[in-house]
Amino acid sequence: MIIDAHSHVHDPVEAHVGVLDEAGVDCAVLFATRPHPERAGDLASLRREMAILDEAIGGRAGTAEGYRDAWRELDAALAAWPERFIGFLSVPLDLEPEQIAAIVEREVVGRGLHGIGELTPPPGRAGVIEPVLRAASDHGGLPVVVHGSAPTTADDLVTLSALAGRYPKVPLVVSQLGGLNWMQAVELVRGTPNMYLELSTANIVFAVRLAINEIPDRILFGSDAPYGDPVLARAMVERVTSPGEIRDRVLGGTIAELVGLA
């Protein structure tokens, strides 16, 4: 099974399914989203969508209604294409720990979703995700995905590694190969048994090759669609691997294990 481990709700969702078909991808981990760059028809409208993205990845929580709208879009996509999408839910990080625990129990576990993410803590403050990790651990070790590219800092990656060590039951996935800090990300993940690296938006071929060589059982193929393209992301993995067990794990086997599909 080929699984894209990182994607966001598209408008319309059918366009996303079409790209997955083109890439030969069986299903995709799907995150809710407030920005929709795929809706943009010109530079001005793209700037508006990217301003929302900057707010989100900068850890500046949107309105409660914004979260509810994103959750409703996710619900609709999962209901329409249950065989193609694996639902994850992001959790507001500016709540009290008991509120976060209640959301995880009610909205993630209670609705049968497979994990939590993509979390976007403010830069320099990755420690705010600890209540989420605690709740994920309390529910048997739900996988948690954290934004890994800018504005996530090198110090944030160190913090994430330390937090992962405190919650060894929780698979902690750093997305986007850690961005510009990819070498440090590989080192930290290699030394932290319950950490994983996802490859979306990686644009340096030898970085992908090295990451797979160093930690082949904890690297995940992902596209970050609509920001990335599943066709190109899969081609990158296949360019730096040979047919066989390692390629199979990267392209879907490992994430299938993390979400209980294997």
Side-chain angles (χ1 to χ4, degrees), residues 35-122:
H36 278 285
E38 73 280 6
R39 292 174 178 165
D42 54 30
L43 185 59
S45 56
L46 180 61
R47 284 188 184 278
R48 288 193 293 271
E49 296 296 338
M50 296 306 283
I52 300 171
L53 175 66
D54 287 344
E55 180 181 79
I57 65 175
R60 298 183 295 278
T63 65
E65 186 58 33
Y67 269 98
R68 285 192 290 268
D69 287 345
W71 289 356
R72 281 192 289 266
E73 289 180 345
L74 177 65
D75 286 343
L78 295 175
W81 297 92
E83 74 282 7
R84 302 304 297 273
F85 295 123
I86 301 165
F88 275 49
L89 193 74
S90 188
V91 177
L93 298 173
D94 58 348
L95 302 176
E96 294 299 319
E98 60 270 19
Q99 294 175 297
I100 289 175
I103 289 176
V104 170
E105 182 170 6
R106 182 181 67 248
E107 302 293 342
V108 180
V109 178
R111 292 165 55 205
L113 300 183
H114 290 82
I116 303 168
E118 178 187 12
L119 301 180
T120 54

Side-chain angles (χ1 to χ4, degrees), residues 240-259:
V240 302
T241 60
S242 300
E245 182 180 358
I246 290 175
R247 178 187 286 181
D248 291 346
R249 288 192 65 85
V250 173
L251 287 178
T254 298
I255 187 63
E257 291 175 359
L258 296 186
V259 299

Side-chain angles (χ1 to χ4, degrees), residues 173-196:
V173 180
V174 174
S175 65
Q176 294 104 11
L177 195 56
L180 294 178
N181 301 304
W182 65 269
M183 285 188 282
Q184 182 179 22
V186 170
E187 291 172 344
L188 289 168
V189 170
R190 186 177 58 195
T192 311
N194 57 316
M195 284 185 79
Y196 296 76

